[in-house]
Amino acid sequence: MIQDDLAELRKLYLGFISSRVILTANNLGIFDILEKASSAKEIARKLKADPRATEILLDALAGIGLAGKSRDGRYRNTAVSNSYLVKGRRLYQGNIIKHASTMWQNFSLLDEVVRTGRPARRDFDHEAFIMGMHDLTILRTEHLISAVGLQGVKTMLDLGGGPGTNAIAAARKGVRVAIFDLPETIRIARRVVRREGVKGIAFIAGDFHVDSIGSKYDLILVSQILHAFSAEENIALLCKCRAAVNPGGRVVVQEFPINDVRTAPPHSALFSVNMLVGTEKGRCYSPREIKGWLVKTGFTNITIKSLPETVLVIGERRG
């Protein structure tokens, strides 16, 4: 009989197996095929893959609950796979899973990263990363907009806005929004905004560390940006935000929540490892740290709001 604590330990160190099965199935487009029941041989033929290997992978998907297998050996998506893993579905998560596949390559170098303190970039897919942010953000936008509140907000800057998911939601509420991001990201955001048919969104391409971010905004959203940079870089960026926001306006920082000793929740502590692997100086920062930066850069009336997966730290510019 395996003791419970050992069983939990095994789940932790063998979790990579199920992860790799999902990543590979997503990379190969298997979930798109499994909208309709198909045999392993039919799927292997469509993928131009090895029949034995394909069948074993499909059996593993069935074993972890992402595919069903009939008595006659035909496979089909389960409800969760159909909802989130088939291209074109509203809550499709395949882009962020593709990004996780590139993370896999970089996390494989974690031993060396810890020894040297330098990030690893064995692989990176910018398109998958940005559209993966859309996959995640679309699940959170409703809570974000409700928690922020847009009453009296006429102009908004989505700083480091990525695919523009939050900007689109605000524009649909009648706010004039500017998305600021790197040129290669702005190209993707333009495409997403055009696809969504939303008006009232402007685009600014540049590096927010060195370029002007504009001015006269009632609201500046800094969503999931600060964890990629050092405390010093973040303080400088918030100084720039204070200069760009109108008196009485607000800056809203959205990040993953983490406690003051940076150990919980586990997802956030592990996300700091992602920042260790992928950035020069980033990690998760606690709401108390972010609040301190806002105070230091001249914001007042600072509030902290917890959302289902993230936390907001909101500061106001007075005078």
Side-chain angles (χ1 to χ4, degrees), residues 195-209:
R195 183 188 71 193
E196 295 295 321
V198 178
K199 306 297 183 182
I201 295 180
F203 302 90
I204 307 173
D207 179 345
F208 50 57
H209 292 299

Side-chain angles (χ1 to χ4, degrees), residues 143-149 221-223 252-255 287 290 303-307 310-314:
H143 290 290
L144 172 67
I145 296 298
S146 176
V148 170
L221 177 63
V222 187
S223 179
V252 177
V253 176
Q254 178 173 227
E255 285 292 341
I290 298 169
T303 58
I304 297 172
K305 294 185 178 182
S306 294
L307 300 186
T310 61
V311 62
L312 303 183
V313 187
I314 304 170

Side-chain angles (χ1 to χ4, degrees), residues 29-191:
I30 285 177
F31 299 109
D32 296 329
I33 296 173
L34 291 183
E35 275 197 284
K36 297 181 180 179
S38 304
S39 69
K41 287 184 178 179
E42 290 169 337
I43 295 167
R45 188 163 55 248
K46 289 179 180 179
L47 297 176
K48 298 181 180 179
D50 180 79
R52 170 180 168 272
T54 301
E55 184 174 26
I56 290 173
L57 183 66
L58 290 165
D59 285 342
L61 288 173
I64 62 176
L66 293 181
K69 185 178 183 181
S70 64
R71 290 184 178 275
D72 63 354
R74 296 175 73 78
Y75 301 85
R76 193 166 191 170
N77 282 334
T78 57
V80 68
S81 300
N82 267 337
S83 294
Y84 303 116
L85 301 176
V86 175
K87 288 186 182 72
R89 298 298 170 91
R90 188 177 73 85
L91 299 179
Y92 177 62
Q93 299 293 294
N95 294 302
I96 194 62
I97 294 173
K98 187 176 180 182
H99 173 61
S101 186
T102 68
M103 288 170 58
W104 176 284
Q105 304 300 321
N106 299 327
F107 265 69
S108 297
L109 300 175
L110 183 57
D111 293 11
E112 186 66 17
V113 170
V114 172
R115 277 193 288 265
T116 66
R118 293 193 297 270
R121 278 295 182 96
R122 175 182 288 178
D123 194 14
F124 188 70
D125 183 332
H126 188 73
E127 174 84 16
F129 171 65
I130 295 301
M131 290 310 298
M133 296 305 100
H134 177 72
D135 291 354
L136 295 178
T137 304
I138 200 169
L139 304 173
R140 303 171 181 150
T141 298
E142 183 178 344
H143 290 290
L144 172 67
I145 296 298
S146 176
V148 170
L150 297 179
Q151 185 175 0
V153 174
K154 297 180 179 178
T155 57
M156 169 181 149
L157 173 65
D158 190 358
L159 188 66
T165 316
N166 290 322
I168 289 168
R172 283 178 170 151
K173 299 287 186 179
V175 178
R176 297 195 308 276
V177 186
I179 302 172
F180 188 108
D181 217 311
L182 297 168
E184 58 268 36
T185 302
I186 288 296
R187 285 193 289 270
I188 297 171
R190 286 183 182 276
R191 190 177 71 229

Side-chain angles (χ1 to χ4, degrees), residues 242-258:
R242 189 184 185 282
V245 73
N246 290 327
R250 294 172 293 157
V251 63
V252 177
V253 176
Q254 178 173 227
E255 285 292 341
F256 292 121
I258 198 164

Side-chain angles (χ1 to χ4, degrees), residues 222 226 231-245 251 253 289-300 302 313-319:
V222 187
L226 301 188
E232 293 75 18
E233 289 170 314
N234 289 332
I235 290 168
L237 186 58
L238 291 173
C239 275
K240 186 175 281 193
C241 288
R242 189 184 185 282
V245 73
V251 63
V253 176
E289 288 176 286
I290 298 169
K291 179 179 179 179
W293 299 341
L294 289 172
V295 170
K296 188 171 185 177
T297 52
F299 289 95
T300 60
I302 296 165
V313 187
I314 304 170
E316 182 180 331
R317 178 187 171 181
R318 289 187 179 174

